Amino acid sequence: MVALFSSTIDQLHNGLNGAGLRQQTTANNIANVDTPNYKARKANFEHTLDAAKQQFDSRRTDGRHFDFGGAGDRGAYTSIDRTRSYHHNGNGVDMDKEMAAMANNQIYHSALIDRMDGQFSSLKTALGGQ
Amino acid sequence: MFDGMNSTASALTAQRLRMDTAAGNMANASATRGRMVDGEWEPYRRKMVTMAPQDNRASFASHLQDAERESAGGVQVTGIVEDQTPFQSMHQPGHPDADEDGNVQLPNVDPLKEMVDVMGATRSYEANVTVFDAHKSMKMSAMEIGRG
């Protein structure tokens, strides 16, 4: 991102993306609560935040080289928990867990938005706008 | 961005169809003339909704493709199947559909089963409405970034 924005905004951006993915995954799990043999999915994205924290840039001399480390390049992903079954039809969605995850995610998301807002208002102040 | 909402919407549709099916079963709980088979009336057969995840494809390539574009998922109704359990039989000689022995074949609908299904569908519908609300408020708050 442009040097005008601090890396904090980048990290918040990653976090928001992750929260969005988690919300989507939870929505999917709850949508499939009555689907036989469906297994719950989980969004993993905190590692991208970690990666953003410890920036470790590699020197690439060719476009085909892989970038090891690097801020958030690995992206968020979802994993499937195939071991659990909560219903007789092989469904692995724990409704209470999903609802709790969603509430958690909502708070996390609004905290990130709050911070993002803070960042932009600081920037506005610095730029002399009121 | 609106994928989560779409998958929730698919679940709402599916649960409503489940509710409609249960309602149809209840309404036809004593319908002795469901379908004409070889010139004879057959009672109504209980119907059930089958569901599957929307990204239920087997191949590795399709999974890779899904992972790349973070596909929406959601749920889809794969069909409405008929319950093949035997019909109930009741001795009712005066009934127009009674056989020579005075027995009437009645639908294989069990109101208790339907009630359980209705409860399940209601709860799932409510859960999905909650998810939809959460999603909406998250999106709306994201719209507020930089306004303050």
Side-chain angles (χ1 to χ4, degrees):
Chain A
M1 206 176 265
V2 198
L4 177 65
F5 299 141
S6 65
S7 73
T8 315
I9 290 191
D10 250 359
Q11 290 184 39
L12 290 170
H13 177 220
N14 271 341
L16 281 173
N17 272 345
L21 179 70
R22 179 161 290 166
Q23 171 67 17
Q24 200 176 306
T25 316
T26 315
N28 267 345
N29 288 343
I30 295 177
N32 282 292
V33 72
D34 294 312
T35 310
N37 298 318
Y38 178 87
K39 297 295 181 200
R41 273 141 227 219
K42 188 173 180 279
N44 303 283
F45 65 91
E46 274 90 355
H47 65 281
T48 61
L49 300 179
D50 286 344
K53 270 185 233 155
Q54 24 182 290
Q55 285 218 12
F56 179 59
D57 293 326
S58 51
R59 184 176 165 77
R60 294 195 295 172
T61 51
D62 191 299
R64 288 170 296 177
H65 287 169
F66 281 108
D67 187 14
F68 46 91
D73 273 349
R74 280 175 296 167
Y77 65 95
T78 56
S79 57
I80 304 177
D81 182 3
R82 295 192 189 279
T83 56
R84 263 175 253 277
S85 262
Y86 287 101
H87 305 267
H88 291 298
N89 59 7
N91 187 289
V93 179
D94 180 354
M95 198 50 139
D96 302 315
K97 205 164 122 190
E98 297 299 333
M99 281 298 183
M102 199 179 64
N104 230 330
N105 195 43
Q106 257 185 294
I107 295 166
Y108 178 73
H109 187 267
S110 67
L112 288 179
I113 295 235
D114 195 60
R115 281 301 75 228
M116 194 74 125
D117 241 2
Q119 287 288 319
F120 279 118
S121 69
S122 307
L123 210 56
K124 254 189 196 166
T125 312
L127 289 169
Q130 261 102 56
Chain B
M1 179 184 174
F2 298 104
D3 284 353
M5 276 174 164
N6 289 339
S7 61
T8 301
S10 74
L12 291 175
T13 312
Q15 296 301 340
R16 214 184 47 220
L17 181 70
R18 237 180 108 199
M19 180 69 92
D20 288 349
T21 313
N25 288 340
M26 286 285 256
N28 285 296
S30 47
T32 50
R33 296 183 181 187
R35 183 191 303 158
M36 187 75 105
V37 180
D38 300 329
E40 294 256 335
W41 280 109
E42 196 178 69
Y44 174 85
R45 238 178 227 291
R46 174 174 180 251
K47 290 177 174 55
M48 292 174 293
V49 174
T50 55
M51 298 187 214
Q54 250 172 29
D55 54 0
N56 195 24
R57 273 158 293 162
S59 78
F60 174 77
S62 66
H63 277 298
L64 191 65
Q65 206 181 6
D66 283 349
E68 274 173 351
R69 58 182 171 82
E70 289 175 11
S71 78
V75 66
Q76 61 178 331
V77 172
T78 46
I80 296 178
V81 292
E82 293 193 331
D83 191 346
Q84 294 303 321
T85 53
F87 295 120
Q88 305 170 61
S89 188
M90 194 187 254
H91 189 66
Q92 220 177 339
H95 199 284
D97 292 320
D99 59 12
E100 304 86 61
D101 304 325
N103 290 323
V104 186
Q105 295 259 293
L106 289 170
N108 53 355
V109 176
D110 180 358
L112 274 177
K113 259 188 208 166
E114 300 308 327
M115 284 315 288
V116 170
D117 232 28
V118 164
M119 293 286 280
T122 313
R123 292 286 171 261
S124 297
Y125 193 90
E126 282 169 1
N128 279 292
V129 169
T130 310
V131 174
F132 197 88
D133 272 349
H135 211 97
K136 198 175 132 193
S137 69
M138 275 169 75
K139 296 289 177 233
M140 292 307 280
S141 64
M143 300 284 287
E144 295 295 318
I145 295 179
R147 292 244 173 106

